[in-house]
Amino acid sequence: MGKKVLVLGEMRDGALRNVSFEALAAGRTIANDGEVVGVLIGETVASQGQELIAYGADRVVVVEDEKLKHYSSDGFAQAFLAVVEAEGPEGIVFGHTALGKDLSPRIAGKLGSGLISDVTSLEGEGDDVVFVRPIYSGKAFEKKMVKEGIVFATIRPNNIAPLEKDASRSGKVITLSAEIKDLRTIIKDVVRKATEGVDLSEAKVVIAGGRGVKSEDGFKPLQELADVLGGAVGASRGACDAEYCDYSLQIGQTGKVVTPDLYIACGISGAIQHLAGMSNSKVIVAINKDPEANIFKVADYGIVGDLFEVIPLLTEEFKKL
Ligand code: FAD
């Protein structure tokens, strides 16, 4: 039997994040022949409704309020719960992003539902859908099914392929008026650190540097390679602790989790806490001087050598392609 599934469209800098389209694909699998309803929350977000429809939403519900200009768990929870009340969904999907990780437990708590977080793939569809998620820092996978209540899942970015965009799809974009009241925290402004280039958590290629990079300047060849490959630069905590780069680049158990198509680890030993953030990458290349480094155990391709010699050679070769 088909289900009605709500999928949150997550915005960043005025545009929908890719994970929103991946969440729509997951929503479609859960809904089976039911209905996928996109949800947009913000100050002025309705203009993105058609984009959600092009990627698979049957229609879109928008909640707009000046109090929702910046994300707050309180404000977004009120808005999302108003949509739940109006729509009565049987399924909900968010991206497993900082926002999704913050908002989903609050919504699940209010609804008294379960929550399957950090899903990397779905098997089957409709009532028989099985959610696959990594456990023990990615060392094993568990499979879960929901037998009763709302099917609520967050999906890890870069793991579930979005449906093909079809700009000719049509569907309604309706606005729901919801009163956002008594916010405990009012976010006045968000000042972002200036970051350039590709978003690390959604990047298809990640060039990550560790303590072996040796200095802030040591990251420059990594950035050059990332630019040539259209990727993003990441780091181990070792590199962040040594102040070679900002903590926003940290990948691992206490940093970001990434699943790019290609992960190149440069001067990273491969501690378990680092592997927790990258071991599910599709292809892993490790560059390390030490042939015994643990990173080689998870690498598909290993290069034993000095990263300051190897990376410029790779960059030159990729430039020729
Ligand atoms: P190192 O272990 O010092 O390795 C440096 C590597 O560079 C070595 O293998 C060396 O052979 C190689 N090297 C040196 N020079 C060169 C060169 N010129 N060319 C090629 N190779 C070279 N770590 C994370 O990364 N992410 C986390 O989220 C994280 N969370 C943690 C949470 C907790 C609770 C704890 C206790 C630790 C956590 N850590 C985390 C830290 C983790 O245990 C390691 O200390 C850290 O990952 C080591 O970073 P590294 O590999 O860059 O440094």
Side-chain angles (χ1 to χ4, degrees), residues 38-279:
V39 178
L40 287 169
I41 299 172
E43 188 182 30
T44 43
V45 286
S47 59
Q48 300 298 319
Q50 193 51 48
E51 187 79 346
L52 285 182
I53 289 166
Y55 275 99
D58 295 308
R59 60 192 172 86
V60 174
V61 179
V62 179
V63 181
E64 289 183 331
D65 191 304
E66 59 180 14
K67 296 192 199 99
L68 300 170
K69 179 174 182 188
H70 300 298
Y71 173 76
S72 72
S73 36
D74 196 4
F76 270 51
Q78 287 187 41
F80 194 84
L81 287 167
V83 180
V84 170
E85 199 179 316
E87 293 288 336
E90 292 141 310
I92 300 174
V93 187
F94 291 178
H96 194 69
T97 57
L99 186 155
K101 283 188 258 187
D102 184 63
L103 188 61
S104 54
R106 183 179 277 249
I107 302 285
K110 293 275 186 200
L111 296 176
S113 78
L115 172 64
I116 305 179
S117 64
D118 202 13
V119 170
T120 50
S121 66
L122 285 78
E123 294 172 356
E125 53 190 10
D127 288 340
D128 298 324
V129 73
V130 174
F131 296 90
V132 183
R133 61 187 295 274
I135 51 171
Y136 302 122
S137 299
K139 282 192 162 168
F141 287 86
E142 69 173 1
K143 294 185 173 186
K144 289 198 159 185
M145 285 182 86
V146 180
K147 286 295 184 190
E148 58 183 60
I150 295 178
V151 181
F152 192 174
T154 64
I155 59 144
R156 186 183 283 196
N158 259 349
N159 279 266
I160 293 163
L163 302 172
E164 206 162 311
K165 183 176 180 178
D166 178 358
S168 68
R169 286 189 90 237
S170 60
K172 282 194 175 140
V173 180
I174 58 153
T175 301
L176 181 76
S177 63
E179 198 191 345
I180 309 299
K181 52 187 176 188
D182 301 332
L183 290 184
R184 287 187 211 158
T185 314
I186 309 282
I187 314 263
K188 294 281 190 196
D189 199 6
V190 176
V191 182
R192 276 188 213 282
K193 274 198 169 169
T195 46
E196 285 170 21
V198 185
D199 178 1
L200 180 57
S201 32
E202 294 192 342
K204 298 282 179 210
V205 176
V206 172
I207 316 295
R211 230 185 315 245
V213 166
K214 292 196 176 65
S215 67
E216 197 179 336
D217 276 353
F219 266 91
K220 283 184 182 158
L222 279 68
Q223 185 65 58
E224 279 168 32
L225 179 56
D227 290 345
V228 170
L229 294 175
V233 168
S236 71
R237 178 154 150 193
C240 301
D241 285 345
E243 299 183 359
Y244 301 161
C245 62
D246 192 80
Y247 279 102
S248 60
L249 300 190
Q250 186 185 320
I251 292 166
Q253 189 182 320
T254 45
K256 292 195 167 81
V257 175
V258 296
T259 343
D261 293 341
L262 174 63
Y263 188 91
I264 306 185
C266 314
I268 293 177
S269 58
I272 181 75
Q273 296 90 352
H274 186 76
L275 302 188
M278 47 63 75
S279 59

